[in-house]
Amino acid sequence: MGLAIVTCLSLCTLQAQPLNKTVVKVLVKGNERLSVNAVLSYVKTRVGSTYEEQVVKADRDRLMTSGRFESVVAKRKYTPNGVVVTFVVTERPVIARLAILGGKKFSEDDLMAALALAQGDPLNRASIEAGKQAILTKYHGEGYHFAKVTVDPEALAKREVIYRIVEGPRTIIKKVIFDGNHYFNKLSLMMKTSTKAKFWPFIKGELNTEKIQRDVTLIRNTYVAEGFLDAEVGREFDFSDDKTKVKVRFIIKEGPRYRINNVIFKGNTVFATDELVNRLNLKQGTFFTQEVLRRDVKVLEHAYGEIGYIEAVIRAEKRFVTPNAPVPAWARDVDGGKPALINMVFTITEHDQYRIGAIRIIGNSITQERVIRRECRFFPEQLLNTVAVEGSKNRLKQLRLFENITITPIGTKKNNIKDVVIEVKEGRTAEFLVGVGVSSNSGLMGTVSFTQRNFDILAFPKSFKHFLKPQTFKGAGQTLSVSAEPGTEMMRFSINWFTPYIFDQPYSVGAKTYLFTRGYTHYDETRLGAQMSLGHRFKNRWYGELATRFENIQIDVNEDRAAQEIIDDGGMHNLIGLRGSLIRDRTDSRWLPSTGDRFQFSYEQVVGTDTFG
């Protein structure tokens, strides 16, 4: 009786002890060709880690998706020391031989390179089928529309994968026909599509059904984008008797072009509906186009973004007006009284309005912070204006000082306040060019030039050690260029310095000195000069500049051979010029503009030895 009680108490004590979930062993069973380490390379369960059921299940799934096993079973065993995890695997048979037979257009090596399997890989029917499709795709891409690829079933039973190819004839497109198109002419559709008839030696014209199907989709999308929402596009092939030539016909059913019936807004509380409608280009009676819709959504996003609703979401939805619905009064005389109509519904989720907290700049190790801040058109405590943020980003890009610029609003502990982080990645701002050329007019010429777009004229090094640092004479966003063009008949040397802001005010200052010499048949000309300029940037995209130049000109004449007019102009001349310029630049980029315009008016009056304008 006492022994039974002691035994029962011992068992209860063991059961009360918590299980040790530390993994003490990870075993692999059933592997024949693969080593234990090769199997465990797919497994994340490790000795010493805590046993987790989800991790082991993920390990099992990872082993199965590797394609090397027909089955994987994960087992666990609790021991006094911890958990023993065992993966019982059944390996797939491997490919004993891989061959491609019957191909003439491509070598076996070329075809093998297109396959995602190789000899020694697991015998996986999905991979074998994918290899078959890869070979067909390669042939179809070269116009072998009737090519066939089969897998030898008898060889497959012996773990051999043998692809047999019947190439068939190579089919060349003789003509491309567009049938049913009225809105777009044939030339515009030909320019948009990639399916072309053979035009030796520029266009091979091979029949490629995948490319043709992409063109079918492209043509339909092109029509839909212009408001033909019911457009249908198909294709037909007309083969020659020997299948070597084909006419490709795109069959187009344009359908009606849809107009806007009503513009409906939902969810707007900040702006009245009429105010939003007046901002749009899509209005009642206008044709729907995808591009105008895209621009209108951008207009609405800007309207909210300008007043701090940076998280506002604009969702546009087309709703068809059923053909049996009564025709609206405005449309009774449109399109024969049977117009195709849609209602445009804009659903707006406004979210919260935000103001700017702090503006933080990171990533600028060389460029001074003020160079970045002065290009910003948003400031602390103002409403967070996404249009101003985007404009500031473009202005920073125009400096060509940074490889990458991101401006990100981030949340703060204060409600409706977001800090703005400007992160820049500084790029190379120095250019050194060396060149040589020859001209029948100017003879042999060389070019050596150096330009620094992030120059700082006041950043003098304190010592020779500081002179070697990257920050020396850099960081203020000024431009310094030095160029020399020596030559046999003409030489030009110049030094040019320009700062877009003086004392961080919207005034620019420039200075240039230059030397120019040119040898002519009967005389030599030498010009030594200096220029100074002062400019001002106005807030409305206008820029004004005043510039003056002082120039000394020396003309050395060969009086024995020169004409009298040249002899009269010989000697030294001094000129002083005063130029005024007025510029308005509304382009989106100074270096690679895609929209906008640029206007410039300039006049210079010169006095001195001669007076002219």
Side-chain angles (χ1 to χ4, degrees):
M1 182 67 177
L3 180 61
I5 292 172
V6 172
T7 303
C8 182
L9 290 172
S10 299
L11 289 172
C12 291
T13 304
L14 287 172
Q15 290 177 356
Q17 291 178 351
L19 294 174
N20 186 349
K21 291 191 173 183
T22 302
V23 178
V24 293
K25 285 184 181 180
V26 181
L27 305 176
V28 176
K29 292 184 178 181
N31 56 310
E32 297 177 359
R33 290 177 300 275
L34 292 173
S35 66
V36 172
N37 288 335
V39 177
L40 291 181
S41 66
Y42 296 95
V43 173
K44 291 188 177 180
T45 301
R46 295 285 183 265
V47 173
S49 63
T50 302
Y51 176 82
E52 294 184 30
E53 191 73 26
Q54 295 300 321
V55 175
V56 174
K57 286 181 178 179
D59 290 339
R60 180 197 62 196
D61 295 341
R62 205 175 297 111
L63 286 166
M64 284 298 298
T65 55
S66 70
R68 294 183 173 274
F69 309 99
E70 288 186 351
S71 67
V72 179
V73 178
K75 297 181 179 181
R76 74 171 185 272
K77 181 181 178 181
Y78 289 102
T79 70
N81 295 326
V83 184
V84 177
V85 180
T86 304
F87 293 95
V88 182
V89 300
T90 303
E91 295 179 344
R92 290 183 184 275
V94 297
I95 299 173
R97 180 188 171 206
L98 178 62
I100 303 175
L101 307 178
K104 297 178 181 178
K105 168 64 180 176
F106 302 103
S107 68
E108 187 175 12
D109 289 342
D110 286 341
L111 294 174
M112 286 289 189
L115 303 182
L117 71 163
Q119 187 172 314
D121 285 352
L123 193 63
N124 187 323
R125 296 207 176 252
S127 299
I128 294 170
E129 183 61 26
K132 174 182 172 180
Q133 293 302 319
I135 295 172
L136 280 173
T137 299
K138 197 166 181 67
Y139 271 95
H140 289 169
E142 290 294 323
Y144 289 86
H145 177 69
F146 297 97
K148 293 182 180 180
V149 180
T150 58
V151 180
D152 191 327
E154 295 181 1
L156 201 58
K158 303 174 185 177
R159 296 189 293 111
E160 296 180 352
V161 179
I162 300 177
Y163 294 105
R164 298 189 185 277
I165 301 171
V166 179
E167 292 182 339
R170 185 169 187 242
T171 307
I172 299 299
I173 299 175
K174 182 180 179 182
K175 191 174 184 180
V176 178
I177 301 168
F178 298 94
D179 192 357
N181 57 301
H182 302 290
Y183 183 79
F184 292 105
N185 59 38
K186 177 183 176 181
L187 181 61
S188 63
L189 291 177
M190 287 180 64
M191 295 294 290
K192 295 176 186 293
T193 54
S194 57
T195 302
K196 310 290 185 187
K198 182 177 180 179
F199 184 59
W200 188 88
F202 305 105
I203 301 173
K204 294 191 291 185
E206 67 279 353
L207 177 63
N208 187 326
T209 53
E210 291 184 7
K211 185 188 293 185
I212 291 171
Q213 191 56 45
R214 289 197 297 268
D215 283 341
V216 167
T217 304
L218 185 147
I219 294 170
R220 185 183 183 279
N221 290 343
T222 301
Y223 271 96
V224 169
E226 287 298 313
F228 295 89
L229 304 180
D230 298 334
E232 296 179 8
V233 182
R235 84 298 190 272
E236 288 182 354
F237 300 139
D238 183 10
F239 293 99
S240 62
D241 293 339
D242 60 359
K243 310 298 185 185
T244 59
K245 295 183 178 63
V246 65
K247 293 180 182 178
V248 178
R249 185 186 303 273
F250 291 101
I251 302 170
I252 301 168
K253 295 180 181 178
E254 293 182 339
R257 192 180 186 195
Y258 280 77
R259 295 176 183 268
I260 303 298
N261 178 40
N262 288 319
V263 178
I264 303 167
F265 280 91
K266 294 182 178 181
N268 55 303
T269 60
V270 176
F271 294 100
T273 297
D274 290 344
E275 185 178 356
L276 293 176
V277 169
N278 290 334
R279 291 173 181 260
L280 304 183
N281 290 304
L282 287 176
K283 300 182 184 297
Q284 189 177 75
T286 61
F287 286 114
F288 168 84
T289 69
Q290 199 68 44
E291 177 60 24
V292 175
L293 174 61
R294 186 191 64 79
R295 291 202 301 263
D296 279 351
V297 170
K298 200 71 176 176
V299 165
L300 295 175
E301 289 174 347
H302 283 173
Y304 277 91
E306 284 178 332
I307 56 172
Y309 289 88
I310 65 171
E311 296 174 350
V313 178
I314 316 293
R315 186 166 60 87
E317 181 185 0
K318 300 186 290 289
R319 293 187 182 175
F320 292 84
V321 177
T322 58
N324 336 353
V327 178
W330 70 266
R332 288 172 185 166
D333 297 328
V334 175
D335 298 336
K338 296 181 179 180
L341 302 175
I342 58 170
N343 293 326
M344 280 305 309
V345 181
F346 293 94
T347 303
I348 301 176
T349 307
E350 294 176 338
H351 293 295
D352 294 330
Q353 187 183 41
Y354 291 95
R355 289 186 176 272
I356 300 174
I359 300 175
R360 302 203 299 271
I361 299 173
I362 58 177
N364 56 316
S365 59
I366 295 176
T367 306
Q368 298 169 14
E369 189 171 298
R370 61 191 181 91
V371 174
I372 300 172
R373 288 189 181 274
R374 68 195 184 194
E375 299 297 337
C376 294
R377 294 300 176 263
F378 54 90
F379 306 96
E381 299 185 6
Q382 288 185 343
L383 289 172
L384 183 44
N385 185 336
T386 56
V387 177
V389 168
E390 189 63 29
S392 301
K393 184 177 179 179
N394 288 334
R395 291 174 67 91
L396 288 170
K397 286 181 179 178
Q398 302 310 312
L399 298 178
R400 297 196 298 161
L401 304 181
F402 311 108
E403 288 183 7
N404 190 45
I405 304 162
T406 58
I407 303 180
T408 309
I410 59 173
T412 65
K413 295 181 179 179
K414 298 180 180 179
N415 292 333
N416 304 106
I417 298 292
K418 282 187 180 289
D419 291 345
V420 178
V421 176
I422 304 174
E423 184 175 4
V424 298
K425 181 181 178 182
E426 293 183 310
R428 295 180 180 179
T429 56
E431 294 177 353
F432 181 71
L433 301 176
V434 179
V436 64
V438 63
S439 165
S440 60
N441 184 44
S442 304
L444 184 65
M445 290 189 63
T447 300
V448 180
S449 69
F450 171 79
T451 302
Q452 173 56 260
R453 295 190 302 274
N454 199 8
F455 186 68
D456 186 355
I457 198 171
L458 300 178
F460 291 96
K462 298 178 181 178
S463 64
F464 181 76
K465 183 178 179 181
H466 283 86
F467 182 80
L468 300 177
K469 290 188 175 182
Q471 292 84 356
T472 302
F473 288 116
K474 290 172 67 176
Q478 304 164 6
T479 300
L480 174 72
S481 61
V482 181
S483 67
E485 299 179 19
T488 55
E489 296 184 21
M490 182 177 72
M491 290 189 292
R492 183 185 289 116
F493 305 92
S494 67
I495 301 175
N496 192 357
W497 174 82
F498 178 80
T499 179
Y501 291 86
I502 189 73
F503 305 121
D504 290 326
Q505 297 300 312
Y507 292 91
S508 63
V509 174
K512 179 180 180 180
T513 181
Y514 57 91
L515 172 66
F516 171 83
T517 65
R518 174 68 190 259
Y520 294 94
T521 306
H522 305 308
Y523 67 97
D524 295 329
E525 176 184 346
T526 301
R527 291 174 179 262
L528 177 63
Q531 295 181 358
M532 293 288 294
S533 65
L534 175 66
H536 176 60
R537 287 178 177 80
F538 300 95
K539 293 183 179 180
N540 55 1
R541 289 182 176 248
W542 285 92
Y543 173 74
E545 184 182 73
L546 288 175
T548 184
R549 64 170 167 138
F550 303 90
E551 195 170 63
N552 174 268
I553 305 170
Q554 178 69 38
I555 298 178
D556 298 317
V557 183
N558 183 344
E559 297 186 0
D560 295 334
R561 304 177 60 186
Q564 186 60 45
E565 295 91 333
I566 298 176
I567 295 174
D568 294 341
D569 286 334
M572 184 179 295
H573 305 266
N574 292 299
L575 298 177
I576 300 175
L578 182 64
R579 184 184 73 245
S581 300
L582 195 60
I583 303 167
R584 184 190 65 184
D585 191 341
R586 298 191 298 184
T587 58
D588 59 342
S589 171
R590 196 180 311 166
W591 313 109
L592 292 171
S594 59
T595 61
D597 57 78
R598 178 181 170 89
F599 167 83
Q600 177 172 341
F601 172 80
S602 180
Y603 178 79
E604 181 182 25
Q605 181 62 47
V606 180
V607 297
T609 306
D610 294 290
T611 301
F612 55 92

